[in-house]
Amino acid sequence: MTTDVHTGTPAAPGRTRRPAPARPSERRWAAIFLSPAMLVIGIFMVVPILLTVWISLHEWSMFTSLGDMTWRGLDNYAGLWSDAGFRNSLRNTVLYVLLVVVLTIPLSVLLGLLLYFPTMRGKAAIRTALFATYVVPTVAIAMVWGALYAPTYGPFDQILGAVGITGIGWLSSPDTALISLVVFHVWQMIGYYTVLVVAGLTQIPGELYEAARVDGAGFWRQTTSLTLPMLGRTMTFVVLIAVVNAIQVFDPIYILTQGGPAGSTEVLSFTIQRTAFEYGLAGQASAMAFSLFLLMVAVGAALMVAMRRRR
Amino acid sequence: MRTRTARARGLRLVSAAAAVPLVLAACGSDDGGSAGGSDPVRISFLTHWGPEQVAMLEEAATEFESEHDGAIEVEIRAVPFANLLSTLRTQGSSANGPTMASVYDLWLAELVRDELAAAAPDDIANAVTDAWPDNLVAGVTKDDAVRGFPNEVNLYALNYNTALFDEAGIEAAPTTWAELSDAADAISALGDGRQGFGVISSWPAGTVHPWLSMVASNGGALLDAATPTLDTPEVAAVAELYAELVDSGATVPTMSGANANTTGPYLDNFVNEKTGMIIMANWWKGALQEAMGDRFDDVAVAPIPVGPDGTSASSVSYSWLTIVNGNARDEQQEAAWDFLTWLNGDTSGADGSSAMGDILMSMGILPSRTSDLEAHADQLAEPFLAAYVDLLPDATPFPSVLGGEEMTVALQQQLEQLLFGSVDPATAMDNAQSEVSSILSAKE
């Protein structure tokens, strides 16, 4: 049996409908329309990734041309696991990502539900205000948060000091610096994730809620049995983006803590920057960067597989 | 067939049209002016100075250009300190890279190895040798060649707040570690969130240099040639002193963090009279004055307190120099050396100073040329800077070795682990010895 996609003849039940092979003219036009995008992707994504891999196999200070690199093979990769600094950065990165996801996901769902369902005025204004934190450049708000977190004279310490809580180091203590950065990250990004959740909620047909109400389901039952399951695809995307954004965190750490104190906020992106630009070990830094890239691909793939299984 | 040919031609046309802007974007001109033509030779100067000093440098460059009838054009490029090295790495070897750069002497070994720091021509090397103190000439000499003009010199001293000293009943600046501990305890005892002695964290040089000044004042050193000496009793004693100060509450590590701008709580707490004493370099005078206003008069400077194994106060010093990019074209290098000779010469500034000397003094930074020190003798006699000038002859230069940045960060990490109680003093120094040995041996 052949399936004619042009006439819209339905496929036999249980079979996947295969698209008809494109005609030569269609292929040419497809190539024409796709080539600019493919060219841009090739130049700005594929080439840099391949170059990073190539550099990771060499020793290079970046003060010289690419042609003057010294071949190291896989030594830079082999050395990663014996590097205590890299292990510390990896540990901090994993902890940072976990904390961000654990805080972000429930909070964004909660805010999304609160902003979507109740009938109230000013919802759009609240959504805009929430999203604004995402739009403001990180550099600007990081400086503000640096002042908020200032020990002894900062507003947070002043307020807590008034109720007898003192001595929280915030960014200046290894015990609290990472969590302080996580709180900043969640504050900055929560509006973005909330908007994604609201967008996901708009995709759930209203008829389902009507049917649920007819069946006697209350708000809690509708939320747990209808809203959250139907948000699955959106949430997978939100988790994926949250993980990627958290893994890539750099600006606030560079501006506020420089990886300190005592290496407590040194995450992979900062270590890569320091290794490449301060130590002049571009080969090692590229090995770290490509390892991080593979880690992100693996996390992304795992989430996609989980989503497909769920579907 | 004809249609197919036309389409194929169209496809090639579209592809070519898409490629042209990309190719054009990829092919930048080297912007260095013509070689021997009528166009001016264009050179650039990369610095980390602030807007006020950049404006002074631009003014000097304009004067130099007019003296050369426009045959040389000088462009000033400024980046934040934190981005200076990364800018050099990403632009240094390119055709559009800076022709001259202001660099930290710790980087010089690597810059020379990778041929980014050109050797000065003989006449210029002789001029440097004649006009600068021997120890500074030695600092800019690598592989038997002078690599640039020494500029600023920074060294560390004990800064303290006399108002807090008065309040705590302390009559004089501490000269020994025992006096330092007593003074720190007395200031901490004032309460109201005060700490006696601040130790900077989250900033490699800000953590390591003051600590090493204490080591030097206890008769110790960081390296013996290229071998770390962090396992000696003189060094271990400083780690133990730090631990004792933290244990007694005289040092509160969370009060002295730094940020990317090399400011932050450590500066704010000193400015706000929450920190009684801190070891800092002379360059922060400008920041202190700006932040404290009239209260800057309460800031006094004293030599580093001497440890039980030391004989006299000794400070760690470091310097900056201006290099010429070894990758620049010959005529650019020649023009750059001309400009630097003029900028650092004793006719480009006011009253016998070099223009560079004037720029450095505007930041409260010690110039290094002998004639600049004489020309600015009056300014250098004011109490804050005079104390640093007095300490200069006994200062210990921070070692400029391959892997210096890594070594500094490794030390910083161990010192911060010690300050925050993650490791004891002996373990911190053992770890530091091991890590620094590993870093330096990897560079051999």
Side-chain angles (χ1 to χ4, degrees):
Chain A
M1 178 185 169
T2 56
T3 304
D4 185 351
V5 295
H6 302 290
T7 57
T9 307
R15 288 191 182 184
T16 306
R17 183 192 291 184
R18 287 184 182 175
R23 290 191 297 245
S25 63
E26 288 176 330
R27 284 203 294 270
R28 272 194 297 275
W29 281 111
I32 289 171
F33 284 116
L34 285 176
S35 58
M38 297 305 289
L39 198 63
V40 169
I41 289 171
I43 289 174
F44 294 108
M45 292 185 71
V46 178
V47 170
I49 289 171
L50 293 177
L51 192 59
T52 301
V53 175
W54 182 241
I55 293 170
S56 75
L57 304 174
H58 294 80
E59 184 181 319
W60 184 45
S61 72
M62 290 196 287
F63 280 142
T64 57
S65 65
L66 280 169
D68 293 330
M69 296 192 298
T70 306
W71 176 257
R72 291 288 301 272
L74 293 173
D75 288 358
N76 288 327
Y77 290 92
L80 287 183
W81 296 107
S82 59
D83 182 346
F86 177 77
R87 290 200 307 270
N88 176 55
S89 300
L90 188 60
R91 189 167 51 242
N92 287 339
T93 305
V94 170
L95 186 59
Y96 187 91
V97 171
L98 286 175
L99 287 170
V100 163
V101 171
V102 164
L103 289 173
T104 298
I105 301 307
L107 207 52
S108 59
V109 172
L110 182 65
L111 288 171
L113 292 174
L114 289 173
L115 282 174
Y116 183 69
F117 284 110
T119 308
M120 63 176 186
R121 285 186 175 184
K123 281 200 295 189
I126 295 172
R127 271 186 224 171
T128 306
L130 269 175
F131 196 71
T133 60
Y134 176 70
V135 177
V136 179
T138 304
V139 174
I141 46 176
M143 296 305 288
V144 173
W145 276 76
L148 293 173
Y149 276 142
T152 69
Y153 57 90
F156 289 167
D157 254 17
Q158 296 282 324
I159 292 167
L160 291 175
V163 294
I165 302 170
T166 58
I168 299 176
W170 305 114
L171 297 171
S172 299
S173 166
D175 298 330
T176 52
L178 194 73
I179 186 71
S180 299
L181 288 169
V182 168
V183 169
F184 167 71
H185 183 107
V186 171
W187 174 85
Q188 186 189 14
M189 302 298 293
I190 195 67
Y192 173 64
Y193 299 129
T194 301
V195 167
L196 291 179
V197 170
V198 170
L201 290 169
T202 62
Q203 301 301 309
I204 303 174
E207 295 83 355
L208 294 179
Y209 289 103
E210 286 172 22
R213 277 195 292 273
V214 168
D215 289 343
F219 175 76
W220 181 248
R221 185 64 192 270
Q222 286 177 41
T223 302
T224 54
S225 301
L226 176 58
T227 307
L228 294 181
M230 293 295 284
L231 267 180
R233 292 180 68 179
T234 300
M235 293 318 298
T236 306
F237 178 72
V238 170
V239 170
L240 182 63
I241 296 297
V243 167
V244 169
N245 282 336
I247 288 178
Q248 289 181 329
V249 65
F250 177 78
D251 298 4
I253 287 165
Y254 184 79
I255 294 162
L256 294 174
T257 66
Q258 291 280 298
S264 59
T265 60
E266 188 151 339
V267 294
L268 280 175
S269 56
F270 184 81
T271 304
I272 290 167
Q273 180 274 149
R274 175 173 264 173
T275 305
F277 296 111
E278 292 180 27
Y279 301 164
L281 302 171
Q284 285 183 24
S286 297
M288 291 179 194
F290 189 61
S291 301
L292 179 61
F293 171 75
L294 292 178
L295 177 69
M296 290 169 73
V297 169
V299 170
L303 282 168
M304 298 307 287
V305 168
M307 186 179 79
R308 283 190 181 165
R309 281 188 183 163
R310 191 183 171 87
R311 216 191 294 169
Chain B
M1 185 68 189
R2 194 173 170 184
T3 306
R4 177 177 286 185
T5 307
R7 280 180 181 156
R9 194 181 299 138
L11 184 59
R12 283 198 295 272
L13 204 62
V14 169
S15 303
V20 163
L22 292 165
V23 171
L24 287 175
C27 301
S29 70
D30 77 351
D31 196 35
S34 69
S38 56
D39 289 346
V41 178
R42 297 188 189 96
I43 56 177
S44 55
F45 188 116
L46 178 68
T47 178
H48 64 292
W49 292 335
E52 189 184 331
Q53 285 69 40
V54 167
M56 292 175 77
L57 188 55
E58 282 172 338
E59 196 178 318
T62 304
E63 190 179 335
F64 173 79
E65 287 170 353
S66 65
E67 284 186 14
H68 286 72
D69 298 325
I72 299 173
E73 283 184 5
V74 186
E75 178 198 359
I76 309 300
R77 301 177 187 175
V79 294
F81 166 73
N83 296 351
L84 185 61
L85 184 57
S86 57
T87 305
L88 264 179
R89 286 196 195 280
T90 51
Q91 298 180 8
S93 63
S94 78
N96 284 323
T99 325
M100 299 162 281
S102 180
V103 301
Y104 178 21
D105 59 2
L106 189 63
W107 306 335
L108 188 59
E110 194 183 353
L111 290 165
V112 170
R113 182 198 65 188
D114 292 340
E115 300 177 354
L116 208 70
D122 288 345
D123 57 330
I124 291 172
N126 291 335
V128 170
T129 305
D130 291 344
W132 272 264
D134 291 345
N135 58 340
L136 290 170
V137 175
V140 299
T141 303
K142 284 279 174 195
D143 293 352
D144 300 324
V146 170
R147 300 290 172 167
F149 285 85
N151 298 144
E152 62 178 270
V153 181
N154 289 286
L155 67 160
Y156 288 79
L158 184 76
N159 289 203
Y160 62 100
N161 189 303
T162 54
L164 284 179
F165 267 48
D166 290 344
E167 198 178 335
I170 308 164
E171 292 180 352
T175 56
T176 64
W177 288 6
E179 290 176 10
L180 175 76
S181 295
D182 290 345
D185 286 339
I187 292 167
S188 300
L190 294 173
D192 195 22
R194 284 163 173 153
Q195 66 167 341
F197 181 68
V199 178
I200 301 167
S201 62
S202 296
W203 173 17
T207 306
V208 171
H209 289 179
W211 171 82
L212 197 54
S213 296
M214 296 286 275
V215 169
S217 297
N218 194 39
L222 170 56
L223 300 179
D224 178 9
T227 306
T229 53
L230 299 166
D231 51 0
T232 59
E234 293 83 3
V235 176
V238 187
E240 282 157 14
L241 174 69
Y242 270 28
E244 286 166 15
L245 288 166
V246 173
D247 288 345
S248 72
T251 293
V252 182
T254 54
M255 289 178 68
S256 302
N259 60 26
N261 293 331
T262 61
T263 59
Y266 86 90
L267 170 67
D268 298 335
N269 277 314
F270 190 82
V271 165
N272 295 331
E273 298 180 347
K274 295 291 185 188
T275 299
M277 296 177 281
I278 198 165
I279 293 176
M280 241 327 245
N282 47 288
W283 63 259
W284 86 327
K285 180 195 170 196
L288 272 186
Q289 264 182 317
E290 186 180 337
M292 296 184 80
D294 292 341
R295 289 184 297 114
F296 178 71
D297 292 341
D298 293 336
V299 178
V301 182
I304 305 290
V306 180
D309 296 323
T311 54
S312 62
S314 182
S315 170
V316 160
S317 68
Y318 65 91
S319 57
W320 284 71
L321 65 151
T322 316
I323 60 164
V324 171
N325 190 336
N327 293 317
R329 291 204 323 261
D330 288 347
E331 64 270 25
Q332 284 181 304
Q333 290 193 36
E334 190 181 335
W337 286 117
D338 279 353
F339 175 65
L340 292 181
T341 303
W342 176 85
L343 185 72
N344 291 280
D346 56 9
T347 58
S348 57
D351 304 324
S353 170
S354 67
M356 177 63 81
D358 289 343
I359 293 170
L360 295 175
M361 281 305 300
S362 74
M363 294 182 276
I365 290 173
L366 302 183
S368 54
R369 187 183 165 107
T370 307
S371 60
D372 284 344
L373 290 168
E374 291 163 0
H376 293 281
D378 288 348
Q379 286 170 274
L380 294 171
E382 62 88 16
F384 189 93
L385 287 180
Y388 285 98
V389 175
D390 289 344
L391 292 167
L392 197 50
D394 296 321
T396 308
F398 191 85
S400 172
V401 291
L402 277 174
E405 281 283 343
E406 275 181 271
M407 174 180 73
T408 307
V409 171
L411 261 173
Q412 175 211 1
Q413 299 281 355
Q414 289 306 322
L415 290 172
E416 291 183 4
Q417 302 264 6
L418 166 67
L419 286 167
F420 288 101
S422 302
V423 293
D424 59 65
T427 307
M429 291 302 99
D430 284 348
N431 292 346
Q433 173 76 10
S434 168
E435 288 183 23
V436 172
S437 296
S438 172
I439 289 165
L440 296 182
S441 61
K443 305 293 177 188
E444 287 174 355

